[in-house]
Amino acid sequence: MIQVLFFASVRDRLGVESVSVDPADAGETLESLRRHLAARGGAWEAVLGSDDRLLGAVNHNIVPMHTLVF
């Protein structure tokens, strides 16, 4: 499983600190993982849908959204 942690306003707006995602559902990149989570709809789509200001990190390192997640 991929453990996804949320911080700051993203955590506040989603109302969760973390979720676990099956790697088979996540796709290969941080961007595909973002799209997978946004597809949940509602607040998930509003927060993660198309916000270019989001930062992502893999193993504690801030990385571009095209970075492989596993």
Side-chain angles (χ1 to χ4, degrees):
M1 296 300 272
I2 297 172
Q3 187 70 17
V4 181
L5 306 175
F6 302 106
F7 298 96
S9 65
V10 173
R11 178 186 60 216
D12 295 341
R13 291 172 64 196
L14 292 177
V16 297
E17 292 184 11
S18 67
V19 294
S20 294
V21 179
D22 187 318
D25 296 332
E28 295 182 354
T29 65
L30 194 56
E31 176 63 21
S32 62
L33 174 58
R34 182 198 62 78
R35 285 192 313 264
H36 169 73
L37 292 172
R40 292 179 171 196
W44 295 88
E45 184 176 5
V47 174
L48 302 173
S50 63
D51 191 344
D52 293 334
R53 297 174 293 156
L54 288 174
L55 294 175
V58 175
N59 296 327
H60 305 283
N61 295 305
I62 295 176
V63 296
M65 295 300 274
H66 65 269
T67 301
L68 297 176
V69 292
F70 52 102

